[in-house]
Amino acid sequence: MKYIQFIGTQRSGSNLLRVMLNQEPEISAPHPPHILKTFFPLLPLYGNLQIGSNFRMLAVDVCEWIKRNPVPWEKVDLDPNEIISICKSPTLIELFTRIYEYKAAVDGASMWCCKSMENIYYAKAIEEYGLRPFYIYLYRDGRDVALSFKNAIVGPKHIYHLAQKWRKEQELAIQLIQNLPESRFVSVRYEDLLVQPKLILKTICLKLGIPFREEILDYFHSHESHLAARAGDMWKNLTRPIITTNSNKFRQGLSKPEIEIFEAEAGDMLDHLNYELMYSIKNQGVSIADIAAYDLINRNLIEETFKNADPKEKSKRKLQDDLLMDIQRRTVNSI
């Protein structure tokens, strides 16, 4: 079963592209519960996964994590025992693979798509495991990405941290696809997707070897789009046609000092991706004292953003947060 993996940075139109691709009968593209991002750091808590009880505990937790996803996976009721029975080895990547394949089979699809863009940090592990995904590198002007993150319930909030994150993830994505044959990836510029969606989607479908269907452009009527939109403000635009003017928002949304900081930290990557810089500022480096101040501001902004978030959206995320705390409190004996 073919595996499609998005790479790049969140807030780059990935959910838009996801619900579009999910309109194709051959593709199952559920909302991502970020399995690898969440559980790779937690693996030491499970001990030796060769021990059956430890692997089962991981499988139980991953299945429960998905059940608590803010955007539910419909038509599947993940049974850890059933998932374990189809796993070929006791590893997190194997669980990740079999769960997505299981969902795709239920959906009657021949391909599964993971939108979790931070899987770029685990691309080496994915490749070494023997998986050969088709990568969709989706990129957007980093200053607009930063503005979107500032207004979202997730992610960093200070412009310095946002610039660092965006630049790093573009570097990783570009480094990855540079070493792949052209048959295994496609690069999509978000701003092009806004104005030429049909052309972009035809290109993706051609590379995947599936027919392009006009219905893909009617994503905003789909059940999946409405399901995501109800789960949080971050995805409210999924029930609307493409907003062709949804670019260059940073010019009004970010202050001049914020744009200067972003361009100082990530201007070379903006230039590499053919985004015009507003200011000619060389990166003079940031002092340890400045970074410490930025860290404090960032933490405070994250707390403030979450505090002021919609209570309904917070309650949906609390289910996973509670599970995460339970897992972190747990002690696993290993040999």
Side-chain angles (χ1 to χ4, degrees):
M1 190 176 284
K2 185 181 281 289
Y3 163 24
I4 304 164
Q5 177 64 60
F6 283 25
I7 53 174
T9 301
Q10 286 179 270
R11 313 310 299 158
S12 298
S14 55
N15 260 300
L16 170 63
L17 186 55
R18 175 185 73 84
V19 295
M20 285 177 163
L21 293 179
N22 195 60
Q23 291 288 90
E24 289 283 350
E26 294 89 349
I27 300 175
S28 171
H31 185 272
H34 305 297
I35 296 171
L36 300 187
K37 171 189 172 183
T38 302
F39 284 91
F40 255 115
L42 298 174
L43 284 182
L45 299 178
Y46 293 92
N48 185 351
L49 295 181
Q50 296 293 330
I51 299 173
S53 58
N54 288 356
F55 183 60
R56 186 179 188 283
M57 189 178 296
L58 176 62
V60 168
D61 288 344
V62 172
C63 289
E64 182 62 27
W65 179 261
I66 295 170
K67 290 176 183 178
R68 300 186 185 201
N69 199 44
V71 182
W73 281 20
E74 295 197 322
K75 299 192 293 185
V76 294
D77 183 15
L78 294 173
D79 179 351
N81 292 322
E82 186 174 359
I83 298 300
I84 290 170
S85 72
I86 59 176
C87 284
K88 298 177 182 178
S89 62
T91 67
L92 176 60
I93 291 182
E94 179 70 8
L95 271 176
F96 162 73
T97 302
R98 300 308 161 199
I99 286 171
Y100 266 95
E101 287 186 345
Y102 182 86
K103 168 64 171 164
V106 171
D107 290 341
S110 59
M111 305 179 185
W112 56 278
C113 175
C114 178
K115 189 210 76 76
S116 189
M117 300 180 86
E118 290 196 16
N119 279 3
I120 186 60
Y121 293 103
Y122 307 106
K124 181 179 179 182
I126 288 169
E127 293 285 331
E128 288 179 348
Y129 194 70
L131 298 176
R132 295 293 182 266
F134 176 82
Y135 294 99
I136 298 178
Y137 171 37
L138 177 61
Y139 63 95
R140 180 186 188 184
D141 188 317
R143 294 159 296 188
D144 275 337
V145 171
L147 177 61
S148 185
F149 263 120
K150 280 169 65 69
N151 297 323
I153 195 172
V154 299
K157 297 291 171 275
H158 192 279
I159 197 69
Y160 173 79
H161 296 80
L162 289 163
Q164 293 286 310
K165 174 181 174 63
W166 181 80
R167 175 179 178 166
K168 177 64 175 177
E169 289 169 356
Q170 308 321 299
E171 288 175 344
L172 290 172
I174 292 168
Q175 182 181 8
L176 173 65
I177 64 175
Q178 281 178 340
N179 294 309
L180 294 175
E182 288 193 5
S183 60
R184 285 196 54 204
F185 74 91
V186 64
S187 297
V188 176
R189 183 183 176 100
Y190 171 72
E191 292 80 5
D192 292 340
L193 180 63
L194 295 182
V195 296
Q196 296 181 305
K198 190 171 183 177
L199 176 62
I200 297 296
L201 289 159
K202 277 188 171 182
T203 300
I204 294 173
C205 289
L206 181 64
K207 283 221 164 186
L208 290 172
I210 60 176
F212 168 81
R213 296 173 174 85
E214 292 288 342
E215 295 82 6
I216 205 169
L217 299 175
D218 291 330
Y219 67 91
F220 51 92
H221 294 307
S222 71
H223 178 65
E224 182 65 27
S225 290
H226 284 265
L227 199 65
R230 288 196 298 268
D233 285 344
M234 289 196 303
W235 310 302
K236 61 184 179 182
N237 286 337
L238 293 179
T239 55
R240 300 174 59 186
I242 289 177
I243 304 171
T244 58
T245 58
N246 195 32
S247 61
N248 283 317
K249 298 289 186 179
F250 74 89
R251 293 178 183 271
Q252 290 76 41
L254 297 181
S255 67
K256 182 175 183 289
E258 285 179 316
I259 297 173
E260 289 177 336
I261 290 174
F262 194 99
E263 292 186 0
E265 296 301 319
D268 55 348
M269 183 55 68
L270 285 168
D271 184 61
H272 178 77
L273 294 172
N274 295 317
Y275 291 107
E276 183 180 356
L277 301 183
M278 289 188 67
Y279 307 106
S280 299
I281 300 174
K282 292 185 178 180
N283 189 347
Q284 302 294 328
V286 182
S287 70
I288 295 175
D290 282 341
I291 293 175
Y294 294 162
D295 287 344
L296 178 59
I297 295 170
N298 187 54
R299 287 195 297 271
N300 290 338
L301 288 172
I302 289 173
E303 291 177 5
E304 182 181 352
T305 301
F306 188 80
K307 180 181 177 181
N308 295 328
D310 183 276
K312 184 178 177 181
E313 189 168 359
K314 287 196 289 187
S315 67
K316 286 180 175 290
R317 294 180 178 276
K318 187 176 184 301
L319 296 172
Q320 284 188 329
D321 291 341
D322 289 347
L323 177 60
L324 191 59
M325 285 195 300
D326 288 343
I327 294 170
Q328 290 170 333
R329 292 191 195 105
R330 185 190 300 147
T331 301
V332 178
N333 294 321
S334 62
I335 57 174

